[in-house]
Amino acid sequence: MSQQALQVFFNFPKPRTRVARFALAWLACLTLACGGGEHGPSGAASSGRASAHPGCENHDPLRQALFGELHVHTQLSFDANQWDVRGTPDDAYRFARGEVIEIGPAPTDGGTKPRRAQLERPLDFAAVTDHGLYLGAVSLCRSEGSAVYDSEDCRIFRGELRLPDQGIVGFEKMLGLLGLRSIQPDDAAQIVTSNRSTQICGEDGARCLAQIKSVWQEQILTAAERHNDASPACAFTTFPAYEYTATPGLAKVHRNVVFRNAQVPDTVLSYLDEPDANGLWRWLRRECLDAGDGCDVVSIPHNSNLSNGRMFTVDYKEVTLGEQQQRARLRAELEPLVEITQIKGDSECKGGMYQVVGADEFCDYEKIRSFWTEPEDCKEGTSHGALNGSGCQSRLDFVRYALIEGLREQARIGVNPYRLGITASTDAHNTNPGDAEEYSWPGWRGYLDDTTEERLSVTDATPLRGLEPVTNNPGGLTGVWAEERSRDSIFDALKRRETFGTSGPRLTARLFAGFDLDAGLCESPDLVRRGYEEGVPMGGDLPSASTDGAGEGEGIKAPTFVVSALRDPGTDAHPGDLLQRVQVVKGFVNDDGHFEQRVVDVAGGANGASVDLETCAPRGPGHEALCGAWTDPDFDPKRGAVYYARVLENPSCRWNRWQCLELPKSNRPAGCDPKKAPQTVQE
């Protein structure tokens, strides 16, 4: 295969160490992938600016950074509901727009008042992604007058009938939806898998399927339409969405399904009715992409860090080559993005994984499984039980190595299924999208962490360890480069992968690459215009440059990468932190078949910055803005490669440190002990 293509994805995640937190932005990568015809958009398509007629007053043909949330839950989700969250999709969108709402849990008979919450800064866009799993059953059990409202299973779900302690903190009420009366912690894999109460749904499940359709159309879709501003002001944008919640054996293989506009299927497809992701993608193609009514959709996998290798391990090698290629193409078409970080940990990279060559000091950021015990390496296999802290961990639990696996698949079958741009989200279950500030984080799951003491607690044995509050973090935000704050413009940015993910701060970054890109572009006032005209932006493919007939090793052009970043300005009360460094990460399969990673500082660098743990005041130098250019000195036009940018802030206080400072030193929980939990992060 003589033709190469360089794939560019820009994304900002937030890495963590035990002593520092990184304010991080992940930019989608540039990938050099072998084989013609499978690289996605052509150079012109991926680097050219959209020609759509401006529909918003805030239209910018050179594109602007917009921040949003594509993963949040309300009372319609089975887990949020059983944690006494009562916020609605309307509440979630009001919160995203900057309004004050009440967040869970619901008031008690004793008069406990719900908490009030408000975003410091409104979002530009949002999608409510309630679980399709048990969507109908939850609604039936919470709707007085429904045919099954008074059933025993519904009363168990509502907490009116208490079953004996099951040792599965926070999920006891789930047994009602499952139609079970007891379960052992070792059998917790049955939770959110394939059981369905026949009392609630009927023997054939038809009652729940009908209710799912009703909730989708009458609550989820109507709320999205009600809050989407289609006027020329384009003040706020919404997207109809839901979550496909696959948790086989307590391994997370979840996906958020986000639609472009109101042209959507008339219901949602749940894991209970289609337990194969390939079946989900076929259904989305049939019911949406091929419907001929303007329906468009993306599926965004999340929490691959808890998938026991299942999210990105190739599972179709037993079928014919043609079928393998077809499945890979379908996945690449439906899944152009991946969520890289959220409340349940970071999925960028991890040190010491099987046959991964090269070091990266910032791969320790928010590795949730490492809070408990270091899991066994899956090597080339898979396992289950990650949500319970069990089973192995695979390099393919992490986005960086999934991108490299995509190059390996490209070489094997001629199709790359993992050409992924980056997003980040909170996955909050308190109806509060985008609530990702460290200094004001209210927790994420109803009554289980609604007090400071609960959030800072640390136990030595929690059956579902991912629910131990101090192991969680506020999550992140999705950034897009779009012409305007409209559905079409933002969704086009998602589709072409001109996206980035942050660990919470609203720092911005752009990445351009090209074989003829001026290495002095950082000094140009026309950096953005020239970047689009002379190179390829984040998310695109970069075809190899011609060697003009030069001999072996002569005249080979190497790509130049230009990355610019601006700090998050923050608010008057809480200014954003200074930037520390900008990095380019390169990944490829080496001659030994191992996954090789290289990390290069292209602007800024180690600066000795720190944070005062008694005040959370920053110490040391940093940058308001950074820009750097780097030309790959080891470029090999015969080897596929993927590149992405990473931007880090100076160290700052982690959320638990902020909350520890609100308590007397004599009364601080274990989450305030540096030996129990990290006190700082580097966003």
Side-chain angles (χ1 to χ4, degrees):
M1 292 177 285
S2 61
Q3 185 178 0
Q4 305 281 333
L6 196 63
Q7 192 171 13
V8 188
F9 306 89
F10 298 64
N11 225 325
F12 299 81
K14 55 179 185 183
R16 182 209 79 190
T17 68
R18 288 287 176 178
V19 296
R21 171 178 184 179
F22 313 100
L24 189 68
W26 294 277
L27 302 178
C29 2
L30 271 160
T31 308
L32 184 63
C34 300
E38 297 296 346
H39 313 308
S42 67
S46 60
S47 62
R49 283 170 271 125
S51 59
H53 181 72
C56 298
E57 295 170 351
N58 64 346
H59 188 91
D60 182 350
L62 289 176
R63 298 174 182 156
Q64 55 194 298
L66 303 175
F67 289 94
E69 167 76 277
L70 297 175
H71 190 181
V72 69
H73 297 268
T74 77
Q75 66 165 343
L76 298 181
S77 290
F78 66 88
D79 43 6
N81 196 292
Q82 69 181 354
W83 297 333
D84 289 346
V85 172
R86 295 296 176 264
T88 66
D90 283 299
D91 292 326
Y93 289 128
R94 290 196 300 108
F95 183 85
R97 299 185 73 150
E99 296 182 32
V100 177
I101 69 165
E102 294 179 347
I103 63 173
T108 66
D109 293 338
T112 301
K113 295 181 179 179
R115 294 175 292 164
R116 295 170 68 84
Q118 182 178 25
L119 272 183
E120 290 85 348
R121 292 173 285 178
L123 298 176
D124 295 300
F125 61 92
V128 171
T129 55
D130 280 310
H131 297 292
L133 189 74
Y134 301 118
L135 184 64
V138 169
S139 177
L140 288 167
C141 286
R142 287 293 179 184
S143 300
E144 291 189 43
S146 79
V148 296
Y149 182 82
D150 292 322
S151 68
E152 191 174 80
D153 280 350
C154 277
R155 295 178 66 201
I156 291 171
F157 177 69
R158 292 196 301 271
E160 296 166 5
L161 290 179
R162 300 292 297 274
L163 297 174
D165 181 22
Q166 306 294 311
I168 47 175
V169 178
F171 280 93
E172 292 88 349
K173 299 175 185 176
M174 273 292 296
L175 296 182
L177 301 185
L178 297 168
L180 301 176
R181 293 296 176 269
S182 65
I183 191 171
Q184 297 301 314
D186 290 344
D187 297 326
Q190 293 180 55
I191 298 175
V192 293
T193 54
S194 58
N195 293 72
R196 176 157 49 194
S197 164
T198 55
Q199 275 188 24
I200 300 171
C201 299
E203 291 293 339
D204 59 357
R207 187 183 296 119
C208 284
L209 291 175
Q211 191 69 11
I212 288 173
K213 184 176 181 179
S214 173
V215 173
W216 172 242
Q217 295 182 0
E218 298 174 16
Q219 298 186 53
I220 297 174
L221 296 183
T222 56
E225 291 310 298
R226 190 156 40 238
H227 294 275
N228 184 63
D229 182 5
S231 75
C234 297
F236 179 69
T237 299
T238 68
F239 295 97
Y242 80 100
E243 180 175 311
Y244 173 84
T245 309
T247 316
L250 287 181
K252 283 181 74 78
V253 198
H254 297 189
R255 292 169 162 85
N256 291 312
V257 180
V258 182
F259 295 91
R260 177 186 289 268
N261 52 39
Q263 297 297 328
V264 299
D266 63 2
T267 190
V268 304
L269 185 66
S270 159
Y271 175 71
L272 284 177
D273 301 296
E274 177 48 77
D276 180 9
N278 191 56
L280 168 69
W281 301 323
R282 290 197 305 266
W283 183 83
L284 290 173
R285 166 157 286 290
R286 182 179 68 251
E287 300 297 324
C288 179
L289 298 184
D290 292 343
D293 58 1
C295 184
D296 201 356
V297 64
V298 294
S299 168
I300 307 174
H302 68 85
N303 273 129
S304 60
N305 62 320
L306 296 173
S307 74
N308 298 111
R310 293 173 179 267
M311 186 69 79
F312 294 114
T313 293
V314 174
D315 61 359
Y316 48 65
K317 291 184 178 180
E318 302 304 315
V319 300
T320 65
L321 176 60
E323 177 66 14
Q324 292 183 54
Q325 293 171 330
Q326 184 179 32
R327 291 191 187 185
R329 289 191 188 99
L330 183 62
R331 179 167 189 163
E333 180 181 20
L334 269 298
E335 291 196 348
L337 302 163
V338 62
E339 182 182 291
I340 202 167
T341 199
Q342 61 127 264
I343 53 172
K344 289 189 284 294
D346 175 71
S347 302
E348 184 198 5
C349 57
K350 192 176 188 302
M353 298 306 296
Y354 172 71
Q355 291 188 354
V356 173
V357 179
D360 183 349
E361 62 179 306
F362 298 122
C363 277
D364 282 342
Y365 174 79
E366 295 294 340
K367 293 298 174 283
I368 190 169
R369 294 197 65 183
S370 297
F371 272 94
W372 315 321
T373 183
E374 285 296 332
E376 178 186 358
D377 197 310
C378 296
K379 297 185 178 179
E380 297 280 3
T382 62
S383 184
H384 61 271
L387 270 177
N388 197 31
S390 62
C392 61
Q393 188 168 65
S394 168
R395 65 186 178 189
L396 295 185
D397 286 345
F398 301 98
V399 172
R400 179 181 299 174
Y401 313 125
L403 291 168
I404 301 175
E405 178 74 354
L407 300 177
R408 190 164 71 160
E409 274 299 278
Q410 175 79 44
R412 188 180 73 86
I413 66 172
V415 183
N416 183 347
Y418 307 137
R419 298 169 60 254
L420 301 167
I422 305 301
T423 70
S425 292
T426 65
D427 191 13
H429 283 55
N430 279 341
T431 325
N432 52 334
D435 204 353
E437 297 286 5
E438 298 289 332
Y439 60 81
S440 61
W441 189 52
W444 67 274
R445 55 201 178 118
Y447 72 79
L448 290 179
D449 65 356
D450 65 329
T451 68
T452 300
E453 289 74 16
E454 286 169 336
R455 288 190 291 277
L456 294 174
S457 66
V458 177
T459 62
D460 293 327
T462 303
L464 289 177
R465 298 173 187 171
L467 297 179
E468 193 163 18
V470 80
T471 67
N472 301 129
N473 74 93
L477 297 174
T478 291
V480 302
W481 288 101
E483 294 83 4
E484 60 187 31
R485 200 185 294 111
S486 66
R487 280 178 168 174
D488 280 344
S489 187
I490 295 171
F491 200 84
D492 284 344
L494 297 176
K495 294 274 283 190
R496 68 173 178 267
R497 302 183 295 269
E498 198 168 355
T499 65
F500 57 96
T502 86
S503 57
R506 300 191 189 189
L507 54 85
T508 58
R510 298 189 100 144
L511 170 63
F512 295 98
F515 290 98
D516 297 304
L517 207 59
D518 184 354
L521 203 56
C522 285
E523 308 303 320
S524 171
D526 293 328
L527 185 156
V528 175
R529 179 186 59 80
R530 291 180 58 191
Y532 280 120
E533 292 177 354
E534 301 171 16
V536 173
M538 61 179 78
D541 294 341
L542 185 64
S544 293
S546 169
T547 59
D548 299 323
E552 183 72 22
E554 298 178 6
I556 295 176
K557 289 184 178 180
T560 294
F561 302 85
V562 176
V563 191
S564 65
L566 297 174
R567 69 175 285 188
D568 177 1
T571 65
D572 291 342
H574 291 278
D577 290 306
L578 295 173
L579 303 181
Q580 184 185 83
R581 68 183 80 191
V582 172
Q583 300 178 314
V584 169
V585 179
K586 177 183 180 180
F588 59 95
V589 182
N590 67 20
D591 291 338
D592 296 325
H594 297 173
F595 288 13
E596 190 155 336
Q597 57 187 7
R598 297 179 185 176
V599 182
V600 180
D601 286 349
V602 299
N607 59 7
S610 62
V611 58
D612 184 342
L613 289 181
E614 294 306 314
T615 64
C616 286
R619 292 172 169 172
H623 304 272
E624 297 279 345
L626 285 170
C627 187
W630 176 70
T631 301
D632 185 357
D634 301 311
F635 176 68
D636 180 353
K638 297 180 180 179
R639 188 187 302 278
V642 59
Y643 303 79
Y644 66 90
R646 184 171 65 186
V647 181
L648 293 94
E649 288 181 354
N650 283 340
S652 58
C653 279
R654 192 174 186 263
W655 69 267
N656 50 308
R657 190 62 195 175
W658 281 103
Q659 298 186 21
C660 289
L661 294 180
E662 298 173 359
L663 303 173
K665 287 186 177 181
S666 60
N667 192 32
R668 291 180 179 175
C672 300
D673 182 352
K675 296 179 181 179
K676 294 286 189 179
Q679 305 294 298
T680 63
V681 292
Q682 198 166 356
E683 304 272 23

